[in-house]
Amino acid sequence: MSRIDDLIAEHCPDGVTNIKLGELLDYAQPTPYIVRSTEYDDSYSTPVLTAGDSFILGYTSEIDGIYQASKDAPVIIFDDFTTSFHWVEFNFKVKSSAMKMLTPKEGANFRYVYYAMKNIQYKPSSHARQWISTYSDFEIPNPHPRIQKEIVDILDAFTKLEAELEAELEARRQQYAYYRNSLLSFNEIGRNVERESCFVQWRSLGEIAMYSDTRINAISLDNKTYVGVDNLLQNRAGKTVSNYVPETGRLTCYEEGDILIGNIRPYLKKIWHSDQQGGTNGDVLVIRIKPEEKQNILPRYLYQILADDDFFHYAVKTSKGAKMPRGNKQMIMKYQVLVPSPEEQERIVAILDKFDALVNDIASGLPAEIAARRQQYEHYRNQLLTFQEAA
């Protein structure tokens, strides 16, 4: 901080003036870059982005209408309703028109503006477009360009560290996926188990499980026991507490051991293995092992089967609707599951749960370390972007 303090004393001894974002950034509509088909596949090369938390929704094979971004020509994609935004420096297409494409006006330090926007504490109170009417009028500190550059260098170093941890987490996720695929296809290295073995048999999901047919009163739920599709986390990361709880009606009940799957946009891979009783709505599938099958299949084994990419690929392939695809409940129950002996299921679960804790547990492992680094970064960003205002 001493370097920043020295620069402030040299260039801004009487304080720093503020400037509106609209004076620093131009905006454009995303219409030319909207993807036509939601049939995403990881083998395609062009990412489809949203300005929301999901960011990368999938990859498309479409070859026209691609936004050309790079390290020399980055862009900020800004969600015009939630005000969430992302820095992008690679080619992409977008999911919808509910965003603005922000680029710098001449003379603006684009990266500094991006970090200053991160420091704005604002949540829209209504479902209305934000950039033109509200957000572009927000002011940020406008110190001397040398100070802006110094702040960017410091915050970029934090960002790089976080990116390295994210890359490590992604590598572990790929390793986890590899072992899950190997174990669940019974082609584990050094342990060949024939699928035709009497200990392993194909069963449809509908033979061993069913959708919950029980209900629970809304008044008995709170933000920890109510699970909506919005608080199921994508990429198998579990759930967060809900910021909304219905006050009336009877909802679908889930029990400890049930498996909850987000049924909107199944490519988001939202799945959670319940450890409590609670309630949910029709956008979430509650899959429960049939009473007569409980001695044959472990709930945690079934969770690992349904958390596998093969299941989500199947759910996407058989889904209904183009703009907002939903899983086909009848087809999902036809999904084929390999069921080995309970002892083999226990062995597989023990191995996969260790990987699961490493890559998904927010209380330990890499997610916890990333959360700690992110908290540290936000603390320093707030300090660096707080100035004495000029009179």
Side-chain angles (χ1 to χ4, degrees):
M1 294 291 288
S2 60
R3 171 67 175 162
I4 297 289
D5 292 339
D6 291 344
L7 289 171
I8 291 174
E10 179 182 354
H11 297 287
C12 314
D14 299 322
V16 172
T17 58
N18 292 333
I19 186 170
K20 290 183 177 180
L21 288 172
E23 297 179 48
L24 296 167
L25 301 177
D26 285 322
Y27 73 90
Q29 302 292 351
T31 309
Y33 314 108
I34 295 175
V35 71
R36 295 186 297 277
S37 170
T38 57
E39 293 184 2
Y40 307 140
D41 192 292
D42 290 347
S43 65
Y44 300 146
S45 59
T46 302
V48 179
L49 306 185
T50 171
D53 292 340
S54 303
F55 189 39
I56 297 179
L57 296 174
Y59 294 83
T60 179
S61 60
E62 295 176 17
I63 58 175
D64 57 350
I66 296 174
Y67 189 97
Q68 304 291 314
S70 67
K71 287 189 176 181
D72 294 330
V75 62
I76 294 173
I77 57 172
F78 178 89
D79 190 310
D80 215 7
F81 289 93
T82 68
T83 72
S84 172
F85 58 90
H86 294 277
W87 178 271
V88 186
E89 51 187 28
F90 50 81
N91 297 343
F92 63 94
K93 290 182 73 70
V94 299
K95 175 67 172 61
S96 77
S97 61
M99 68 165 66
K100 293 286 190 290
M101 325 288 279
L102 306 180
T103 52
K105 291 186 176 180
E106 185 174 356
N109 184 326
F110 195 27
R111 190 68 170 169
Y112 171 80
V113 177
Y114 165 75
Y115 283 128
M117 287 173 63
K118 286 284 187 184
N119 225 33
I120 293 174
Q121 304 298 317
Y122 171 70
K123 287 188 176 180
S125 58
S126 64
H127 188 67
R129 289 190 178 270
Q130 298 291 320
W131 177 256
I132 295 175
S133 61
T134 303
Y135 209 91
S136 61
D137 283 336
F138 284 146
E139 294 183 340
I140 63 172
N142 188 33
H144 189 277
R146 286 187 62 190
I147 299 174
Q148 294 187 27
K149 181 181 181 306
E150 191 72 17
I151 290 172
V152 167
D153 289 346
I154 293 171
L155 294 179
D156 273 352
F158 276 104
T159 301
K160 182 180 179 183
L161 176 60
E162 185 178 327
E164 289 172 350
L165 288 171
E166 292 279 5
E168 173 70 12
L169 179 59
E170 180 57 29
R172 296 303 179 193
R173 281 179 175 147
Q174 290 180 9
Q175 189 179 31
Y176 178 24
Y178 168 79
Y179 276 101
R180 180 164 50 205
N181 182 267
S182 297
L183 289 166
L184 298 179
S185 62
F186 297 89
N187 288 323
E188 183 187 2
I189 296 172
R191 183 184 177 90
N192 297 318
V193 180
E194 294 295 331
R195 291 183 176 183
E196 294 76 15
S197 165
C198 61
F199 298 108
V200 182
Q201 57 180 320
W202 286 104
R203 309 280 302 276
S204 71
L205 181 59
E207 288 181 278
I208 59 176
M210 61 185 187
Y211 295 118
S212 168
D213 58 358
T214 55
R215 296 293 181 266
I216 188 169
N217 287 323
I219 57 174
S220 66
L221 302 173
D222 57 30
N223 65 350
K224 293 181 180 177
T225 55
Y226 175 73
V227 178
V229 72
D230 290 337
N231 57 297
L232 282 175
L233 301 175
Q234 63 179 311
N235 292 322
R236 304 169 272 255
K239 77 171 186 71
T240 60
V241 296
S242 177
N243 55 15
Y244 162 78
V245 181
E247 298 178 349
T248 60
R250 288 175 60 76
L251 307 175
T252 301
C253 179
Y254 68 82
E255 304 284 353
E256 180 179 353
D258 287 350
I259 298 162
L260 279 63
I261 298 174
N263 201 35
I264 296 178
R265 299 186 180 120
Y267 51 79
L268 295 178
K269 303 174 185 177
K270 293 184 172 184
I271 185 170
W272 175 59
H273 190 196
S274 168
D275 58 0
Q276 61 186 24
Q277 184 190 62
T280 184
N281 59 37
D283 293 332
V284 176
L285 304 178
V286 178
I287 295 177
R288 180 175 299 165
I289 295 175
K290 291 180 175 178
E292 63 272 25
E293 294 290 341
K294 287 185 176 179
Q295 62 182 349
N296 299 321
I297 186 160
L298 305 178
R300 192 64 184 171
Y301 176 78
L302 184 58
Y303 164 81
Q304 291 290 0
I305 287 282
L306 299 179
D308 190 55
D309 279 344
D310 283 350
F311 170 74
F312 285 109
H313 289 160
Y314 173 86
V316 170
K317 188 176 180 180
T318 58
S319 64
K320 298 178 177 178
K323 189 173 183 179
M324 187 179 290
R326 288 174 175 267
N328 183 320
K329 295 177 68 173
Q330 288 71 38
M331 292 303 295
I332 284 174
M333 278 298 167
K334 294 181 180 179
Y335 184 69
Q336 295 294 301
V337 177
L338 270 171
V339 181
S341 66
E343 293 76 17
E344 182 66 6
Q345 293 177 42
E346 286 184 2
R347 189 186 72 83
I348 292 171
V349 165
I351 295 172
L352 294 181
D353 275 357
K354 290 179 181 176
F355 280 104
D356 191 73
L358 179 64
V359 303
N360 290 326
D361 193 336
I362 59 175
S364 63
L366 286 168
E369 187 171 352
I370 290 173
R373 297 298 179 209
R374 189 168 293 155
Q375 190 174 27
Q376 184 183 39
Y377 156 76
E378 291 175 354
H379 169 75
Y380 280 109
R381 186 185 65 204
N382 183 56
Q383 283 200 323
L384 288 167
L385 292 169
T386 300
F387 299 91
Q388 174 191 339
E389 285 193 36

